[in-house]
């Protein structure tokens, strides 16, 4: 099939999923056209079957807010028409689903019928999408899409609960390339960071407030106070990075914390981690946690959102009440101080990532969903 994929090209889970999906589909022979305002960050080079169409927004003195959604719509119309796309698959409802629905309508007037599939990822439903300034448009765009998927059953339920939805939503969980994400031997890196054999806590996020990155520093501080030899690796960047740095200084642990910023070879960093911390306030799936699990790193996280669908409490890590620093500290300590438990959880984490979320299992689910939506649309034309 010829598939147009639109996503946020910046550092973040929905862009990662969309880009990895496009790459995997291209490898299976589909022709993939990314339509976005810049090259998706996981798309370092264009290969056979992959095309990139940049959306640029012209400024005009009247525009205090240049209308990106309309420029995106026009680009979608253009690409569908001239590249003869079979479908548009947009990731994150705002504004991508709306632009795609409008593009479909414009094309319909030109005798071109292209189905629109929207994948809901997270805050497009759980936070920003519910804001009254967006909610009616999000509801309309979901209802008007030809197919809608959600990355967890929690997100599906939440969408049906919070919006007036008149259609089915297919759950297709996020996935991982377990041939890329596995525990590598990184002895030099480990020795350089932990010269005295310290254990490593890790956290990867875009440091938005919803990630509660400061709770990671708090847990680390508690464990250090107890005398555990430990280092903390923080990967990514965003609004809460600086407050987290300040907190680490205030608590006197800054020297043992490494803020690595945005990094691409995440699997190399995860390969030296012992526990992954994810104390998020909201998380529909927790892709960063899945990446850790694939690298044999047990996850200690909040018991919220879609996280219980990913992390099996007591088997691949622990689920803790939201904001409970005592519980997060306790569960992390249990893993770090019990080698047998650590080994068991590390192996179970890897096994779960392969058995439930490997790309080879999930990509065919998308393909069959594409076909069913396209066939359904063609039957109605
Ligand atoms: O919804 C967001 O905050 C954006 C999105 C992103 O682009 O980072 O994150 C969501 O989508 C990811 C991929 O499906 C999920 O793994 C994340 O759990 C989810 N984030 C939240 O729900 C906060």
């Amino acid at each position: 099939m010829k598939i147009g994929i639109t996503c946020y090209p910046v550092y973040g889970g929905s862009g990662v999923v969309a880009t990895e999906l496009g790459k995997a589909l291209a490898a299976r022979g589909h022709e993939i056209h990314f339509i976005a305002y810049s090259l998706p960050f996981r798309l370092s080079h264009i290969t056979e079957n992959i095309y990139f169409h940049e959306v640029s927004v012209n400024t005009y003195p009247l525009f205090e807010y240049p209308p990106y959604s309309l420029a995106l719509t026009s680009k979608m119309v253009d690409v569908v028409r001239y590249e003869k796309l079979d479908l548009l698959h947009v990731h994150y409802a705002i504004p991508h689903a709306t632009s795609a629905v409008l593009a479909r309508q414009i094309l319909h007037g030109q005798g071109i019928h292209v189905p629109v599939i929207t994948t809901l990822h997270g805050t497009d439903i759980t936070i920003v999408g519910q804001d009254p300034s967006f909610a009616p448009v999000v509801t309309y765009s979901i209802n008007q899409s030809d197919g809608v998927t959600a990355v967890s059953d929690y997100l599906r339920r939440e969408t049906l609960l919070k919006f007036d939805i008149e259609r089915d939503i297919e759950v297709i969980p996020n996935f991982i390339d377990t041939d890329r994400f596995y525990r590598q031997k990184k002895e030099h890196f480990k020795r350089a960071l932990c010269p005295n054999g310290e254990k490593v806590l890790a956290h990867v996020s875009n440091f938005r407030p919803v990630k509660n990155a400061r709770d990671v520093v708090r847990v680390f501080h508690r464990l250090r106070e107890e005398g555990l030899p430990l280092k903390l690796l923080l990967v990514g960047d965003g609004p809460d990075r600086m407050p987290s740095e300040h907190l680490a200084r205030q608590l006197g642990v800054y020297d043992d914390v490494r803020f690595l910023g945005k990094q691409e070879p995440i699997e190399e960093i995860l390969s030296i981690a012992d526990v992954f911390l994810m104390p998020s306030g909201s998380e529909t799936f927790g892709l960063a946690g899945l990446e850790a699990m694939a690298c044999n790193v047990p996850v200690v996280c909040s018991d919220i959102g879609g996280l219980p669908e990913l992390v099996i409490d007591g088997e691949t890590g622990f689920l803790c009440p939201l904001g409970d620093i005592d519980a997060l500290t306790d569960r992390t300590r249990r893993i770090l101080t019990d080698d047998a438990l650590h080994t068991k959880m590390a192996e179970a984490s890897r096994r779960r990532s392969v058995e439930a979320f490997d790309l080879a299992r999930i990509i065919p689910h998308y393909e069959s969903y594409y076909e069913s939506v396209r066939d359904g649309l063609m039957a109605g034309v």
Side-chain angles (χ1 to χ4, degrees), residues 123-192:
T123 52
D124 47 349
I125 294 302
T126 56
I127 301 179
V128 65
Q130 290 178 34
D131 188 284
S133 62
F134 293 118
V137 181
V138 171
T139 308
Y140 178 81
S141 307
I142 292 173
N143 281 329
Q144 288 297 314
S145 295
D146 299 289
V148 178
T149 78
V151 298
S152 63
D153 193 52
Y154 161 78
L155 184 57
R156 178 184 161 279
R157 283 185 271 114
E158 196 64 9
T159 309
L160 298 176
L161 190 71
K162 299 284 166 55
F163 297 85
D164 194 6
I165 301 302
E166 302 151 355
R167 50 156 317 111
D168 291 341
I169 296 177
E170 179 92 353
V171 176
I172 306 185
N174 286 335
F175 56 87
I176 183 123
D177 179 355
T178 55
D179 289 336
R180 173 185 161 187
F181 282 85
Y182 64 93
R183 197 162 186 92
Q184 305 174 9
K185 289 214 176 315
K186 288 280 156 199
E187 303 305 335
H188 290 311
F189 181 28
K190 172 92 194 204
R191 261 199 303 277

Side-chain angles (χ1 to χ4, degrees), residues 8 10-17 92 119-127 151 174 206 208 210-211 280 282-288 307:
Y8 282 103
V10 290
Y11 206 70
S14 60
V16 170
V17 171
Y92 205 89
T119 290
L120 307 171
H121 277 274
T123 52
D124 47 349
I125 294 302
T126 56
I127 301 179
V151 298
N174 286 335
N206 45 25
R208 277 181 285 153
V210 75
K211 302 291 176 183
S280 307
S282 175
E283 205 72 69
T284 56
F285 181 88
L287 186 65
L307 290 176

Side-chain angles (χ1 to χ4, degrees), residues 22 28 52 159 179 234 253 281:
R28 290 165 72 95
F52 170 59
T159 309
D179 289 336
L234 291 161
V253 291

Side-chain angles (χ1 to χ4, degrees), residues 83-371:
E83 300 291 347
K84 303 192 171 22
L85 300 191
D86 296 306
L87 68 83
L88 282 172
H89 184 181
V90 298
H91 293 256
Y92 205 89
I94 309 168
H96 303 149
T98 316
S99 296
V101 164
L102 181 56
R104 183 192 60 193
Q105 202 169 322
I106 294 168
L107 287 157
H108 188 75
Q110 300 172 4
I112 297 169
H113 306 286
V114 65
V116 169
I117 293 179
T118 297
T119 290
L120 307 171
H121 277 274
T123 52
D124 47 349
I125 294 302
T126 56
I127 301 179
V128 65
Q130 290 178 34
D131 188 284
S133 62
F134 293 118
V137 181
V138 171
T139 308
Y140 178 81
S141 307
I142 292 173
N143 281 329
Q144 288 297 314
S145 295
D146 299 289
V148 178
T149 78
V151 298
S152 63
D153 193 52
Y154 161 78
L155 184 57
R156 178 184 161 279
R157 283 185 271 114
E158 196 64 9
T159 309
L160 298 176
L161 190 71
K162 299 284 166 55
F163 297 85
D164 194 6
I165 301 302
E166 302 151 355
R167 50 156 317 111
D168 291 341
I169 296 177
E170 179 92 353
V171 176
I172 306 185
N174 286 335
F175 56 87
I176 183 123
D177 179 355
T178 55
D179 289 336
R180 173 185 161 187
F181 282 85
Y182 64 93
R183 197 162 186 92
Q184 305 174 9
K185 289 214 176 315
K186 288 280 156 199
E187 303 305 335
H188 290 311
F189 181 28
K190 172 92 194 204
R191 261 199 303 277
L193 188 83
C194 309
N196 303 308
E198 295 92 338
K199 299 248 163 113
V200 176
L201 284 190
H203 170 78
V204 181
S205 78
N206 45 25
F207 284 75
R208 277 181 285 153
V210 75
K211 302 291 176 183
N212 289 332
R214 275 173 293 179
D215 283 354
V216 175
V217 177
R218 290 187 181 102
V219 170
F220 177 72
H221 168 246
R222 290 270 195 97
L223 294 167
R224 286 298 315 273
E225 289 279 283
E226 293 175 10
L228 278 187
L230 211 54
K231 301 278 181 180
L232 173 60
L233 285 182
L234 291 161
V235 184
D237 213 327
D240 268 359
R241 173 174 169 171
M242 208 181 265
S244 302
E245 287 182 4
H246 280 228
L247 182 64
R249 284 191 198 106
Q250 249 173 25
L251 296 175
V253 291
Y254 188 76
D255 287 349
D256 289 317
V257 182
R258 289 282 288 271
F259 285 87
L260 296 174
K262 292 179 185 171
Q263 295 287 336
E264 185 40 29
I266 301 282
E267 64 278 20
E268 294 181 16
I269 298 165
L270 291 170
S271 288
I272 66 158
D274 295 291
V275 171
F276 188 86
L277 275 172
M278 195 161 42
S280 307
S282 175
E283 205 72 69
T284 56
F285 181 88
L287 186 65
L290 176 57
E291 293 181 341
M293 286 165 65
C295 296
N296 292 58
V297 188
V299 174
V300 176
C301 61
S302 314
D303 188 6
I304 48 107
L307 290 176
E309 293 173 51
L310 175 67
V311 175
I312 311 284
D313 191 39
E315 265 183 45
T316 67
F318 287 111
L319 297 164
C320 303
L322 176 60
D324 189 338
I325 304 293
D326 288 343
L328 289 162
T329 307
D330 175 71
R331 304 306 185 278
T332 306
R333 183 199 310 108
R334 275 164 69 178
I335 302 176
L336 290 175
T337 56
D338 181 340
D339 285 347
L341 178 67
H342 183 264
T343 304
K344 212 167 121 199
M345 284 191 158
E347 285 169 359
S349 297
R350 170 71 190 176
R351 206 165 40 244
R352 180 156 174 76
S353 73
V354 173
E355 287 174 3
F357 301 107
D358 190 79
L359 159 157
R361 279 177 194 280
I362 309 296
I363 303 303
H365 193 160
Y366 272 112
E367 288 177 314
S368 57
Y369 188 65
Y370 289 164
E371 278 158 25

